[in-house]
Amino acid sequence: MRVKIAPSILSADFSRMGEAVKKCEASGADFIHCDVMDGSFVAPITFGGQMVKNIRPVTKLPLDVHLMIEHPQTQIKFFADAGADIITVHVEACEKISPNYLRDTLGLIKSYGVKCGAVINPDVSEEKLFPVLDMCDMVLVMSVFPGYGGQKFIDSVLPKVSSLRAQAAKIGKPDMDIEIDGGISLKTAPMAVKAGANVLVAGSALFGAEDMAAAVKELKAQ
Ligand code: DX5
Ligand code: ZN
């Protein structure tokens, strides 16, 4: 499968966000990964729908909005209206509300004509995603505990990626996007791709690179 790159703007200078997004596009990225944090599901607060709305006209790339927030249903409309192309929500935030909350949230995202996906933390079984794979355009496996860029890749999540790739094939979606997020670098990307991931989120590895375009190209070559 073709490897797609999703630079995380969490690693950008927020005072120059437009330029950062343009640089990602010019560097050959496939998505702009927007890390939304609420200060509750994860400790830091990053940004909300207004940021997504402001970067929407700056790029043609799809905006991949990763919601690290409690009660995601309350925010879907804002991000859909802001121009998100895909919204992903955490299984852990949904399951503490009710058993149907995840499925209902994915349905709500779709009702706005936006692609949807579900995310699992490094310590959560991929089997929690199986019941909603039919609805998901993408699944996201966290390879760090969310909250901060620049953390070390947790390689024990790799078998979950392989298991998800097998399960996706089993339900007739062999090409489903499987995204991996956290600690992706030239060293860890080959392992992630070999396991079955085809969308690589990278923050510090890309924004810290001397030549972002070269780094995107090298990550894609895995
Ligand atoms: C972690 C975020 C990631 C993060 C990735 O909470 O979801 O998207 O920004 O950053 P790196 O690539 O530096 O691990
Ligand atoms: Zn993310």
Side-chain angles (χ1 to χ4, degrees):
M1 277 178 90
R2 190 170 82 83
V3 174
K4 295 182 265 191
I5 306 299
S8 165
I9 57 170
L10 184 61
S11 296
D13 175 348
F14 280 30
S15 72
R16 297 161 67 198
M17 190 55 88
E19 281 167 54
V21 168
K22 284 200 176 109
K23 186 177 170 187
C24 294
E25 182 162 10
S27 298
D30 300 278
F31 294 92
I32 300 294
H33 184 82
C34 304
D35 281 312
V36 176
M37 304 185 187
D38 66 351
S40 177
F41 181 74
V42 288
I45 296 177
T46 54
F47 52 79
Q50 186 66 37
M51 176 69 89
V52 172
K53 192 174 174 184
N54 286 171
I55 64 176
R56 178 65 288 172
V58 172
T59 180
K60 286 193 175 65
L61 291 182
L63 302 180
D64 164 29
V65 176
H66 175 195
L67 293 184
M68 286 161 275
I69 66 172
E70 308 282 9
H71 299 281
Q73 276 180 30
T74 65
Q75 296 298 312
I76 301 306
K77 183 181 189 309
F78 297 121
F79 287 97
D81 288 348
D85 294 279
I86 175 154
I87 299 175
T88 59
V89 295
H90 270 263
V91 166
E92 307 82 24
C94 293
E95 69 182 4
K96 66 171 103 151
I97 299 175
S98 76
N100 293 329
Y101 192 92
L102 175 59
R103 215 178 163 83
D104 290 349
T105 308
L106 296 171
L108 180 64
I109 297 169
K110 278 184 179 299
S111 76
Y112 288 100
V114 175
K115 290 183 176 169
C116 70
V119 192
I120 47 168
N121 274 341
D123 59 349
V124 172
S125 167
E126 77 283 8
E127 288 180 16
K128 294 215 170 159
L129 295 173
F130 289 1
V132 293
L133 276 192
D134 59 321
M135 290 185 81
C136 286
D137 298 290
M138 181 190 267
V139 289
L140 169 50
V141 176
M142 291 305 301
S143 41
V144 298
F145 284 91
Y148 307 92
Q151 302 182 74
K152 192 174 174 293
F153 185 76
I154 300 171
D155 59 8
S156 58
V157 307
L158 291 170
K160 298 197 293 183
V161 173
S162 304
S163 163
L164 281 163
R165 178 59 71 205
Q167 185 66 19
K170 206 165 151 188
I171 64 158
K173 295 171 79 171
D175 298 331
M176 190 178 70
D177 280 337
I178 301 184
E179 186 175 48
I180 188 159
D181 184 3
I184 292 293
S185 65
L186 279 177
K187 199 172 135 223
T188 57
M191 296 187 254
V193 171
K194 194 164 167 239
N198 68 310
V199 183
L200 308 178
V201 177
S204 42
L206 290 178
F207 282 93
E210 239 167 71
D211 180 344
M212 190 190 274
V216 167
K217 205 168 159 192
E218 281 180 276
L219 283 176
K220 280 192 186 186
Q222 302 312 316

